[in-house]
Amino acid sequence: MSKLRVLSGMQPSGQLTLGNYIGALKNYVKLQITHDCYFMVVDLHAITVPQEPAALKEQSESVAALYLAAGIDPKAATVFLQSTVSAHAELGWLMTTLTYMGELERMTQFKDKSAGKESVGAGLFTYPSLMAADILLYNADLVPVGDDQKQHLELTRDLAQRFNGKFGETFKIPQGYIPEVGARVMSLDDASKKMSKSNPNAGSYIALLDAPDVVRKKISRAVTDSGREVKFDPANKPEVSNLISIYTQVADKTIAEVEALYEGQGYGPFKKDLAEAVVTVLEPLQQRYREIRESGELNRILAEGKERAAEQAERMLKEVKTKMGFVVL
């Protein structure tokens, strides 16, 4: 029996965070063993907001290297840059023509990212159609998504069904994959918001490439609730509950074990140990990252990933264009 196919990607706009590692990368590493995985750096999505060319290039390479440093094996999974497979942009346009204005206007991410801005690029409005194309090009069975991407996956499913109904059975209808644990790590300065690399306050997130002393400082300054009890209670103690969740993921402990460990000790010892647990996870990842960047192997790995991805993507694009009535030479 063939493996189920997984497609996922991250934007190279800003540094990847501990939230990206816990919520996505750790699961990517597990999924590559049991599934046929395509992991991309979605650089075409990144330019929906202005990017400095040099920064975009550096961050695209950095994200790809962090995929590998986190444990993704390019022999087991296909790792590539979205923009190097031209079928993404082409199917993105075809999907845009099948997408209704009302569907895009309802997207909460567009509302959030465009709020308070005098002018907004059309790409920010239409990029959910490109995201649908990303998924449908590979006939993905499963798409790891956070809560903020559920709307986009629903649009993808609608577009797949719309195309199949109009032009004949072509696309699988993808399903969302949300890990049971660690899917959502919240900000260190406000537990009502997701930890995000786009937050202007660098103290709100831990970047995967933060130096150990920076990690210690950020965790020591993380907002905690009133009182001193290390208790998991998201409704009444959201800040410390978020830190406990992080601890369980980086130290491989249960919530009950963490609570028992710091019973009667207060937040000080808890935060200190949490910082060391995070550093213990990040230091070897950072070492592997440096080795990958210095080895010069990254471009070869991405070129090989591009070839594998393009083979699948071009085959699907050709089928789509033929069914839509284009002359395919």
Side-chain angles (χ1 to χ4, degrees):
M1 184 181 291
S2 61
K3 293 179 178 179
L4 292 177
R5 180 168 291 167
V6 171
L7 183 284
S8 192
M10 295 186 191
Q11 284 196 34
S13 50
Q15 300 184 63
L16 294 190
T17 70
L18 185 64
N20 296 125
Y21 176 77
I22 291 172
L25 288 175
K26 277 182 69 177
N27 291 299
Y28 288 2
V29 173
K30 294 175 186 174
L31 285 167
Q32 69 181 344
I33 300 168
T34 53
H35 294 70
D36 177 21
C37 293
Y38 287 76
F39 298 129
M40 59 181 176
V41 179
V42 288
D43 47 357
L44 292 176
H45 290 305
I47 62 169
T48 56
V49 296
Q51 301 286 341
E52 287 294 328
L56 178 63
K57 181 177 185 297
E58 166 58 26
Q59 278 301 115
S60 297
E61 292 173 343
S62 177
V63 171
L66 283 168
Y67 280 3
L68 304 175
I72 295 173
D73 180 356
K75 294 186 178 69
T78 301
V79 178
F80 65 103
L81 303 175
Q82 179 192 27
S83 64
T84 62
V85 179
S86 59
H88 285 266
E90 192 167 353
L91 186 61
W93 170 247
L94 300 181
M95 287 296 111
T96 299
T97 68
L98 294 175
T99 309
Y100 304 137
M101 288 279 289
E103 291 174 317
L104 296 174
E105 287 169 345
R106 287 194 293 274
M107 293 291 156
T108 54
Q109 276 218 333
F110 172 74
K111 294 176 184 175
D112 292 344
K113 290 184 177 181
S114 61
K117 295 182 179 176
E118 291 183 15
S119 59
V120 178
L124 187 62
F125 185 67
T126 61
Y127 97 91
S129 301
L130 174 59
M131 182 175 170
D134 297 335
I135 297 165
L136 299 178
L137 268 177
Y138 300 94
N139 253 337
D141 297 285
L142 299 173
V143 182
V145 289
D147 290 341
D148 56 343
Q149 294 290 342
K150 285 182 181 178
Q151 261 192 319
H152 294 165
L153 181 61
E154 282 306 312
L155 176 65
T156 302
R157 290 166 55 83
D158 290 343
L159 289 174
Q161 291 167 333
R162 191 171 301 158
F163 186 96
N164 291 349
K166 190 171 184 179
F167 299 108
E169 200 67 25
T170 306
F171 297 121
K172 289 180 182 177
I173 310 302
Q175 303 293 322
Y177 169 81
I178 301 177
E180 289 182 18
V181 182
R184 197 168 175 84
V185 176
M186 311 311 284
S187 171
L188 297 180
D189 65 346
D190 182 353
S192 69
K193 298 176 181 176
K194 191 173 83 165
M195 184 179 285
S196 171
K197 60 184 184 290
S198 61
N199 192 318
N201 175 17
S204 71
Y205 61 82
I206 294 168
L208 292 184
L209 297 178
D210 276 346
D213 284 348
V214 173
V215 171
R216 294 182 182 107
K217 185 177 292 186
K218 286 182 177 181
I219 291 178
S220 72
R221 293 178 176 176
V223 174
T224 45
D225 312 275
S226 58
R228 59 190 301 276
E229 188 181 15
V230 180
K231 180 76 175 171
F232 189 78
D233 182 357
N236 298 306
K237 295 171 73 72
E239 316 290 355
V240 76
S241 296
N242 179 46
L243 297 180
I244 291 171
S245 292
I246 294 172
Y247 203 133
T248 65
Q249 292 297 303
V250 296
D252 195 24
K253 294 182 183 294
T254 66
I255 289 170
E257 286 172 338
V258 175
E259 289 178 333
L261 202 56
Y262 297 99
E263 186 174 356
Q265 291 195 52
Y267 295 150
F270 166 67
K271 279 185 166 186
K272 188 172 182 292
D273 290 351
L274 170 58
E276 295 312 312
V278 172
V279 167
T280 298
V281 168
L282 293 189
E283 279 191 318
L285 182 150
Q286 292 170 359
Q287 179 60 33
R288 289 196 296 272
Y289 172 84
R290 287 190 289 270
E291 290 168 357
I292 291 162
R293 294 301 300 266
E294 292 166 4
S295 71
E297 285 287 283
L298 187 60
N299 282 353
R300 178 188 61 77
I301 290 168
L302 291 175
E304 290 176 357
K306 167 196 168 183
E307 292 303 317
R308 291 206 299 270
E311 183 180 354
Q312 165 64 32
E314 291 294 340
R315 187 163 57 241
M316 177 56 74
L317 180 63
K318 185 175 182 180
E319 181 181 350
V320 168
K321 290 175 72 175
T322 299
K323 287 184 175 178
M324 291 183 76
F326 291 100
V327 176
V328 178
L329 302 175

